[in-house]
Amino acid sequence: MSFNPAALLLLIVGLGLIGWLAGRARSAMVAGRAGTKLHSRPQYHGWYVALWLFAPAAIFLAVWSSVAPAMITNDVLASEAAQRLPAFGFERSAILSDARGVAQGDQPSVRIEGAGPLVEPYRAATQKYGMIGIAAMLALALAGGLFAFTRIRPDFRARSRVERIVMGLLLLASLVAILTTFGIVLSLLFESIRFFQLVSPAELLFGTYWNPQSGAAVEGTFGGIPLFWGTVLIGAIIAMIVAIPIGMMTAVYLTQYAAPAVRRWVKPILEILAGVPTVVYGYFAALTVAPALRNFAVMIGIPNASTESALAAGIVMGVMIIPFVSSMADDSINAVPQAMRDGSLALGATPNETIRQVLIPAALPGVMGGILLAVSRAIGETMIVVMAAGLSANLTANPFASVTTVTAQIVKLLTGDQEFDSAKTLAAFALGLVLFVVTLLLNIVALRIVKKYREAYE
Amino acid sequence: MTQEDLSIADPKMTAQNVNVFYGEKQAINDVTIDVGTDLVTAFIGPSGCGKSTFLRSLNRMNDTIASARVTGKITLEGEDIYDPSMDVVQLRARVGMVFQKPNPFPKSIYDNVGYGPRIHGLAPTKADLDVIVERALVRAGLWDEVKDRLNESGTALSGGQQQRLCIARAIAVDPEVILMDEPCSALDPIATAKIEELIHELRGKYAIVIVTHNMQQAARVSQRTAFFHLGTLVEYGKTTDIFTNPKQERTKDYITGRYG
Amino acid sequence: MQTRIARRYAAERRFRLIGLGAVLLSGAFLAFLLFVMVGNGARGFTYTNVAVPIDFASTPLTVDAARLNDPDADQLIANAGLADIVAFAAEEALGDDGDELISENAWKEVRSAIKDDPELMTGRHVFDLPASSEIDMAAKAGASGALGARIAELRRDGRLSTGIHWPFFRNADATDPAVAGIWGALKGSVLTIFIAFCIAFPTGVLAALYLEEYAPKNRWTDMIEVSINNLAAVPSIIFGLLALAVFINWFGICQASPLVGGLTLALMTMPVIVIASRNAIKAVPPSIRDAALGVGASPVQVVFHHVLPLALPGILTGTIIGMARALGETAPLLLVGMRAFIGDVPGGICSPSTVLPMQIFLWSDEVDRGFVEKTSAAIIVLLFVLLSMNALAIYLRNKFEKRW
């Protein structure tokens, strides 16, 4: 019998089912004998027993399957055969994993010399800890089940107990959000601090030369300014020049002029535009837009025009953001009270005067909030820039030249064969931290503006 | 009229020195009242006088409002309903409630009525449930109108039918007390008349407490009337006495339409 | 006054036209994008085949027919020199350049045909073999010069035919466009999304129920709320960094697998599901809760018997949209190793795998021109799946949308 977590999980689910049936039956019997009414219905007694059977055993199973491999390895290392292992890190772990593979039946025979003698100790240790684990788990399950089973009485509040557990579960689910946030902040901070031990934060934030090399950190090659500029140029300037006017005017037209039928058709089309995956936009930018722009640039005589231009990535990113801007603007304009619009029209203003001089100024805070959210989304966008903007860190204002962005560099630094602790991979986390902080600030400010604006009209 | 002669020697529910607070604001001030077992008790008073609040404290529906706080003692058959050992769910099964606006579940008529018996385990088999549902609908005077379409949605009924469905739903768990919070305020006169008729028929089977600001209604359906004003219980007595011979000046003013 | 009014009306018309222009421009972008993808991609679903007769009588394939169902049959046939036999037959039939006209993997098609029908191993049969990428491109798009002449010659001999490119739907990634397919990536996507759904959906819905129905108003719940709202706006690549640091380096979950990809996407989609679910739960009128409480349902029963079923259509709509987004997501998966070339269809949730958007990304980098149409074809498949999901969501929304 081997220690197979999935099979064991099934086993305790099965035990839980038996517990459920037993608890239900017993509660009905107890009530019948005492001739009284149960406080909780039989099925809740069933659930109570099942949970006591299942939960402790499941928790043990989870803990055991994460610590058992280490204990097995310890046992093997203590064995006689292991004394002949090379002390060297890589070779040692390769031999160990080879022996483990054979012992656990993942591979038919050893591939590395020297792993052979370790197979038996591995098999023995696996067997031993497997048996211990299974026995302990079953004991826990039975103990829990018996404990719950003996508590069944007509006046026992099984429903309240079960519901308290359900509530605990709900709370636990909502804690996942906090855990994720903490996970992001801690993992980014932790790796960034390690990076900043190698390279000073000032260099990352204010240096102007970016060219990280493999191996030891070289002073002066981690200047983030070109990346930040590239990010701003593509995400906050070019993309917004495309997205804001088109998105705003689309929203104005749809809310103020378009017939309901048109609205009904155009909105889903915009939703489709928003639903196209970014990798498709990236491919579109790289395949179609970038070469066209380069030809255009060459035609009008711009030097060093690149096929990986900031403009191509920015324009396509702008297109991607249009639906986002338009729906935010749509909401803001709709939130302006009808009375304001009527007031202006009643004075004899034309619709466009009303829109430009009354509606848009009134909706401006909401629109601004929406634009900030759009910027935060654009600077965090990855695939379009990876595929279309290139990877060379140039500090240039020429939109036809190639620039790179924070996200593109994160991808570049972390793909390929890197040691996880090299300055290059750590730099990716530091860039991630910068990106996270900036987008977080943008979001907080934007959400605050939008909220204030909504309150003003409620 | 023998029922009016019953004194409340054996009250179903009692309230002693009950105060209800919403946060800092006191909504009910030191109310003491008994609810008779076989009687219809009406709570009347101008809107905002706290009669609904008090009603909701009788089956602890105020628990659903986080800031609400109740002091004093309310008992059902001698048990303190705010005692920690009192299970609020069982309490509400014993003290049912009908709300101001009909609120059927968007389920079939059958499931609406059957829901309570199901969760309380009153019907071990489908046949038992059929019996309970039919009896509740018959008692609510709705059976003849819906017996052929029990699987249709409860929300498809007319307003008056919906409200009778809600009463049937409350009856189905066989409560001891039924609280009705202005059950007719969203209904037309014909539907209202039917509900009132129904209340007449239910009298004696359940202790009924009805909140209304329609004084004619209180006079028509109840044997006991309590007049609330500004969170206090001003006067409580036999309905005939309250309406013909009020003891308090404020009651008289309200009944004669001086304010309200 | 008159001229002023005329001017104002002209401004009005202009403004209106600009608005219409903006709408049309958005529509035009979408139309252009779809046009380019369909234009390039339609040809990716077909492939040019060259008819080559192979005479196993003169060049015998010495394989025991009884062993063709063995697990190592592929290896067996390869060792028997089928590749050389096919190349020889091609040169025999098509001339000296015959070997270059067919795909270097063409013999694998013969192999699977033989495995299906061992009779083929005897005697002479004509096989429709995939052309080389170069020939395929030239035959479909037209070519000039020597290549064009050669194609015309083959056509005249009736050697060329075009058919649906089955390997595209059947195979995993390969370096040769003649046999590269999306099945591996598609299965990887399905597994990944399945994992993401299994984690994000229950967690998200339960969290939404807690926050909307039970949570007391205090600092903790405020923190949860703020976390969720911010997580929904965190760039997706940050989730990739988190997954790399926590799932791979810390927990050591199998790299590049649907499991780790699914976990990453689950964290990313959960906030979306929470927000959509909360809105759906909020829309359930309080009178329903009162009604259930009034007949003695416990708070947990109120939620699970009434609120949740009524909110479910809204929750599902939000979930489908969130899942569609996860399905199209690439960036975070780049960081957890799903970028590698995977030549096998993934076997389970822990085996190395790639996903459909990643396959598109990988193919877009390929030098071989034949991959351009494969990339676009894969995009069409991805868009088709995503649009179907969105259409389903919109349908659900319209069907079950209730006005209370």
Side-chain angles (χ1 to χ4, degrees), chain B residues 87-151:
Chain B
D87 192 271
V88 65
V89 161
Q90 289 194 323
L91 169 70
R92 290 186 192 136
R94 292 170 66 190
V95 185
M97 189 157 194
V98 176
F99 296 84
Q100 201 165 358
K101 263 171 50 188
N103 53 358
F105 302 128
K107 297 173 184 263
S108 72
I109 293 170
Y110 184 92
D111 287 340
N112 259 284
V113 182
Y115 176 70
R118 269 197 199 119
I119 60 167
H120 295 299
L122 302 178
T125 66
K126 171 88 169 75
D128 293 339
L129 192 60
D130 287 347
V131 171
I132 293 177
V133 169
E134 177 173 347
R135 202 176 51 208
L137 284 169
V138 168
R139 282 202 177 173
L142 197 59
W143 177 251
D144 289 332
E145 292 161 63
V146 300
K147 65 181 175 211
D148 299 324
R149 45 185 183 135
L150 290 176
N151 288 321

Side-chain angles (χ1 to χ4, degrees), chain B residues 20-225:
Chain B
V20 182
F21 301 87
Y22 289 125
E24 290 300 301
K25 198 176 149 275
Q26 185 162 11
I28 288 292
N29 193 355
D30 197 29
V31 168
T32 298
I33 196 169
D34 290 351
V35 173
T37 305
D38 292 332
L39 301 177
V40 177
T41 307
F43 292 174
I44 61 169
S47 29
C49 68
K51 52 194 190 308
S52 288
T53 302
F54 183 66
L55 190 76
R56 289 171 72 93
S57 65
L58 292 181
N59 72 341
R60 291 183 57 180
M61 281 298 279
N62 279 333
D63 289 13
T64 59
I65 301 160
S67 64
R69 195 157 51 81
V70 178
T71 65
K73 187 173 179 188
I74 301 178
T75 65
L76 171 63
E77 299 258 291
E79 293 173 67
D80 184 351
I81 67 168
Y82 282 91
D83 190 85
S85 70
M86 171 60 76
D87 192 271
V88 65
V89 161
Q90 289 194 323
L91 169 70
R92 290 186 192 136
R94 292 170 66 190
V95 185
M97 189 157 194
V98 176
F99 296 84
Q100 201 165 358
K101 263 171 50 188
N103 53 358
F105 302 128
K107 297 173 184 263
S108 72
I109 293 170
Y110 184 92
D111 287 340
N112 259 284
V113 182
Y115 176 70
R118 269 197 199 119
I119 60 167
H120 295 299
L122 302 178
T125 66
K126 171 88 169 75
D128 293 339
L129 192 60
D130 287 347
V131 171
I132 293 177
V133 169
E134 177 173 347
R135 202 176 51 208
L137 284 169
V138 168
R139 282 202 177 173
L142 197 59
W143 177 251
D144 289 332
E145 292 161 63
V146 300
K147 65 181 175 211
D148 299 324
R149 45 185 183 135
L150 290 176
N151 288 321
E152 277 177 38
S153 171
T155 52
L157 296 172
S158 74
Q161 287 174 325
Q162 284 188 12
Q163 193 62 300
R164 279 182 284 149
L165 178 62
C166 292
I167 293 175
R169 188 174 65 194
I171 292 173
V173 291
D174 205 20
E176 297 160 39
V177 183
I178 301 178
L179 309 176
M180 299 186 176
D181 188 1
E182 302 190 24
C184 303
S185 65
L187 305 181
D188 60 84
I190 294 172
T192 301
K194 282 201 170 159
I195 301 276
E196 287 181 9
E197 212 173 288
L198 178 56
I199 294 172
H200 271 299
E201 277 161 27
L202 296 178
R203 191 182 75 198
K205 300 190 181 82
Y206 312 97
I208 296 177
V209 183
I210 176 169
V211 163
T212 175
H213 53 216
N214 177 336
M215 278 176 295
Q216 285 77 25
Q217 185 170 62
R220 281 195 299 266
V221 301
S222 70
Q223 291 81 50
R224 295 284 183 280
T225 297

Side-chain angles (χ1 to χ4, degrees), chain A residues 163, chain B residues 92 115 119, chain C residues 213-214 288-294 296-309:
Chain A
E163 290 185 344
Chain B
R92 290 186 192 136
Y115 176 70
I119 60 167
Chain C
E213 295 287 327
Y214 305 119
I288 298 287
R289 297 178 178 86
D290 281 350
L293 286 172
S298 68
V300 171
Q301 287 173 328
V302 170
V303 165
F304 283 92
H305 293 171
H306 297 282
V307 176
L308 189 56

Side-chain angles (χ1 to χ4, degrees), chain A residues 17 41 80 132 138 225 239 330-331 347 369:
Chain A
L17 189 69
R41 298 184 55 204
E80 209 176 310
I132 294 177
L138 287 178
I225 290 288
D330 198 323
D331 289 349
L347 287 174

Side-chain angles (χ1 to χ4, degrees), chain C residues 167-391:
Chain C
F168 180 72
F169 297 104
R170 214 168 46 203
N171 291 358
D173 196 8
T175 46
D176 176 4
V179 290
I182 56 166
W183 177 238
L186 208 55
K187 193 174 170 200
S189 271
V190 169
L191 289 173
T192 307
I193 290 300
F194 177 73
I195 303 261
F197 175 82
C198 287
I199 293 166
F201 181 70
T203 324
V205 173
L206 293 184
L209 283 176
Y210 181 76
L211 292 176
E212 218 34 69
E213 295 287 327
Y214 305 119
K217 264 271 158 237
N218 60 27
R219 280 229 318 278
W220 275 98
T221 45
D222 273 357
M223 243 169 86
I224 297 178
E225 288 222 44
V226 171
S227 294
I228 288 175
N229 288 338
N230 281 322
L231 281 180
V234 165
S236 59
I237 193 163
I238 301 285
F239 287 96
L241 289 173
L242 169 73
L244 177 61
V246 175
F247 294 150
I248 292 184
N249 273 329
W250 205 29
F251 288 148
I253 299 174
C254 22
Q255 202 175 0
S257 64
L259 182 61
V260 77
L263 283 170
T264 313
L265 294 181
L267 291 185
M268 201 187 88
T269 352
M270 201 200 78
V272 179
I273 296 180
V274 173
I275 291 172
S277 304
R278 289 188 70 174
N279 288 335
I281 293 167
K282 243 183 238 160
V284 176
S287 70
I288 298 287
R289 297 178 178 86
D290 281 350
L293 286 172
V295 292
S298 68
V300 171
Q301 287 173 328
V302 170
V303 165
F304 283 92
H305 293 171
H306 297 282
V307 176
L308 189 56
L310 291 176
L312 209 55
I315 293 176
L316 283 181
T317 307
T319 305
I320 294 173
I321 289 172
M323 283 297 139
R325 227 165 83 183
L327 184 56
E329 192 58 71
T330 324
L333 303 182
L334 275 173
L335 304 190
V336 295
M338 297 187 94
R339 183 185 199 170
F341 172 87
I342 310 288
D344 293 319
V345 176
I349 57 168
C350 221
S351 46
S353 146
T354 190
V355 292
L356 201 45
M358 191 65 74
Q359 191 68 75
I360 292 167
F361 175 64
L362 291 172
W363 280 351
S364 76
D365 256 3
E366 287 282 347
V367 195
D368 193 321
R369 291 280 300 142
F371 274 110
V372 171
E373 54 186 44
K374 292 295 164 213
T375 313
S376 303
I379 286 177
I380 293 174
V381 173
L382 179 63
L383 284 180
F384 177 77
V385 174
L386 291 182
L387 289 184
S388 313
M389 286 174 79
N390 279 314

Side-chain angles (χ1 to χ4, degrees), chain A residues 44 163 348 352-353 415 420, chain C residues 8 12 233 249 298 301 339:
Chain A
Y44 284 105
E163 290 185 344
N352 104 66
E353 288 157 353
T415 48
F420 184 73
Chain C
R8 284 172 64 200
E12 171 69 24
N249 273 329
S298 68
Q301 287 173 328
R339 183 185 199 170

